[in-house]
Amino acid sequence: MYALVINCGSSSLKFALIETKNRQTVISGTAEQLNTPEATITFKHEGKNTESLTDGTHAGAFRAVFDYLQSRDLAGEVIAVGHRVVHGGEYFQKSVEITPEVIEIIKRCAPLAPIHNPANLTGILAAQEVFPTLPHVAVFDTAFHQTMPEEAYLYALPYELYEDFNIRRYGFHGSSHRYITERTAEILDIPLDKINLISCHLGNGASVTAVKEGKSVDTSMGLTPLEGLMMGTRSGSIDPGLVPYLVERLNYDIYELDHLLNFKSGLLGISGVSNDCRTLELKANEGDKRCQLALDMFAYRVAKTVASYLPALQKLDAIVFTGGIGENSSYVRELIMEQLAFLGYAFSRPSNEHCVRGTEGVIATSSAFGKALVVCTDEEGMIVQDTLEIIGKKA
């Protein structure tokens, strides 16, 4: 039996067919440039194959996935579909089976994630059209962070803005941070309800989460995924006074400003070259000072955020690196750990360089602050786990 995992973006649809018993991915792929004449779909199954989509909509892409599964006699073996949904507001503290009421709440949360939630909903509706009799489960990026206390999630704004408009910090990458928490507790042989760690999900989108006794108590992203760390193309936190200043000086409207902060800033904006860490490392090694500056800024902001979470935890068992950069860039990890040397970490460069391309391990130790580890995240695995638990309880 299989579960189908869907992660739908505004112009893309990622999917993975996962065997429910051993949690192994059998088929995966991505539909890209949807709603354009250049729409394609790539299947990774006994090789890699890319095809043009005659129907380049999300529904057309999902039908192409169904046809591919059906041609291999696998469509009838799918027992449930799990969907990544970015924003669940304060409505969801855990994953839920998708009902008409849940769909309405996802729509209600769309203003909090205008790029993501409508796309997630498009994927849900497309999947329900192709698999109308199967259970569909929503797994929310925000759910893991619903355990944050008020002093962590409230903004210092008039309280009525929270009461009337739900303006607060929500956090994201919840499935990844939750998986990292459970996996690290397993690796270190610490009960889940006892472990304190700082999880660094570093990729094109990046966030850091403080986990106390197995629960999120603070995280770097806020109302939207723009707050917090410098990222691939996102600025991260800035002085709010910069907004009216840029509007006045550049004559930007709010949409141009939003595009600047979300798509033209971060590693890309500083380097002027790329948002890809691998490219920046190559260029920096060749002497490109702006690429080096981008990497230094990124590492400094991660280290600063990690250190800022120590008061919330008091006791620290582990700092954990994950995500595309966190799992694969030994250079960026070393830059970060250099900034955290004041915590007494004994850093192992050989161990650090060994932990790439799916290799987990300890890269530093401290007598007072535990270990620094690289752990490979599995957001799809968490979606499958939640999906199977929910349909199991229903059965």
Side-chain angles (χ1 to χ4, degrees):
M1 296 296 178
Y2 302 91
L4 187 60
V5 174
I6 301 297
N7 182 356
C8 201
S10 57
S11 61
S12 66
L13 188 152
K14 298 179 182 179
F15 58 92
L17 185 72
I18 299 177
E19 206 278 326
T20 59
K21 188 174 182 179
N22 58 26
R23 308 294 171 88
Q24 295 297 310
T25 299
V26 178
I27 300 172
S28 64
T30 306
E32 300 177 284
Q33 300 187 71
L34 296 180
N35 301 309
T36 75
E38 292 76 34
T40 61
I41 188 165
T42 299
F43 297 96
K44 296 178 183 177
H45 177 225
E46 299 174 348
K48 190 175 179 181
N49 178 45
T50 301
E51 306 171 2
S52 296
L53 283 169
T54 53
D55 180 356
T57 64
H58 288 81
F62 204 94
R63 279 193 293 272
V65 173
F66 175 80
D67 291 342
Y68 189 89
L69 298 180
Q70 194 170 43
S71 69
R72 285 151 180 81
D73 297 322
L74 292 171
E77 301 296 314
V78 177
I79 61 172
V81 184
H83 299 264
R84 178 195 179 214
V85 180
V86 167
H87 219 305
E90 292 186 312
Y91 299 100
F92 301 106
Q93 294 190 6
K94 59 184 179 180
S95 303
V96 296
E97 184 173 1
I98 296 171
T99 64
E101 292 75 22
V102 170
I103 287 176
E104 287 305 311
I105 294 174
I106 293 173
K107 290 179 182 177
R108 201 178 305 162
C109 292
L112 298 173
I115 296 174
H116 299 90
N117 269 39
N120 300 154
L121 187 57
T122 297
I124 289 170
L125 297 177
Q128 287 181 328
E129 181 179 329
V130 175
F131 287 109
T133 62
L134 293 184
H136 293 253
V137 172
V139 180
F140 298 93
D141 271 12
T142 49
F144 182 61
H145 302 298
Q146 284 297 298
T147 52
M148 288 193 295
E150 285 183 313
E151 59 266 29
Y153 71 69
L154 285 175
Y155 290 112
L157 296 169
Y159 193 77
E160 291 77 15
L161 291 175
Y162 167 61
E163 292 181 307
D164 296 340
F165 302 105
N166 300 315
I167 294 176
R168 52 159 284 182
R169 303 179 66 252
Y170 289 96
F172 300 89
H173 293 141
S175 294
S176 177
H177 291 301
R178 181 159 66 100
Y179 176 82
I180 291 304
T181 300
E182 295 179 7
R183 175 67 178 142
T184 304
E186 178 184 355
I187 292 171
L188 298 182
D189 194 24
I190 298 174
L192 184 60
D193 61 355
K194 301 294 184 184
I195 194 165
N196 285 19
L197 61 85
I198 297 175
S199 172
C200 305
H201 179 109
L202 309 179
N204 192 50
S207 65
V208 176
T209 292
V211 177
K212 185 174 184 179
E213 298 175 351
K215 297 180 179 179
S216 172
V217 293
D218 206 347
T219 193
S220 57
M221 286 179 168
L223 176 76
T224 76
L226 181 60
E227 186 181 353
L229 302 177
M230 170 185 180
M231 305 177 215
T233 62
R234 297 175 194 153
S235 65
S237 296
I238 59 168
D239 179 352
L242 182 61
V243 173
Y245 181 82
L246 288 175
V247 168
E248 181 179 345
R249 295 301 297 267
L250 300 180
N251 196 31
Y252 275 12
D253 62 30
I254 194 65
Y255 302 104
E256 291 171 312
L257 187 58
D258 181 73
H259 187 77
L260 172 73
L261 297 177
N262 275 291
F263 300 107
K264 298 176 71 175
S265 300
L267 293 172
L268 175 63
I270 295 297
S271 71
V273 172
S274 175
N275 62 316
D276 191 312
C277 192
R278 294 164 295 187
T279 300
L280 299 183
E281 288 184 36
L282 288 172
K283 292 288 186 180
N285 194 49
E286 294 170 357
D288 190 308
K289 293 183 178 180
R290 281 179 58 182
C291 289
Q292 184 63 60
L293 175 62
L295 294 170
D296 289 341
M297 288 175 63
F298 180 81
Y300 171 68
R301 281 158 172 73
V302 173
K304 184 170 68 170
T305 304
V306 168
S308 74
Y309 286 159
L310 295 177
L313 299 179
Q314 299 295 307
K315 176 182 77 74
L316 183 62
D317 298 306
I319 297 171
V320 189
F321 295 99
T322 194
I325 296 173
E327 293 173 28
N328 295 296
S329 178
S330 59
Y331 179 65
V332 169
R333 293 195 302 258
E334 184 170 356
L335 289 177
I336 295 168
M337 293 309 299
E338 285 176 354
Q339 298 278 350
L340 296 172
F342 72 97
L343 296 177
Y345 282 102
F347 179 74
S348 171
R349 182 169 290 163
S351 296
N352 183 50
E353 292 178 352
H354 179 68
C355 291
V356 293
R357 294 184 294 277
T359 301
E360 299 180 329
V362 176
I363 62 172
T365 57
S366 166
S367 59
F369 296 100
K371 297 172 179 172
L373 302 88
V374 177
V375 176
C376 299
T377 194
D378 187 5
E379 294 175 272
E380 291 176 346
M382 293 306 297
I383 294 173
V384 170
Q385 176 178 304
D386 285 5
T387 299
L388 295 179
E389 284 182 0
I390 287 171
I391 67 171
K393 289 177 182 178
K394 182 182 177 183

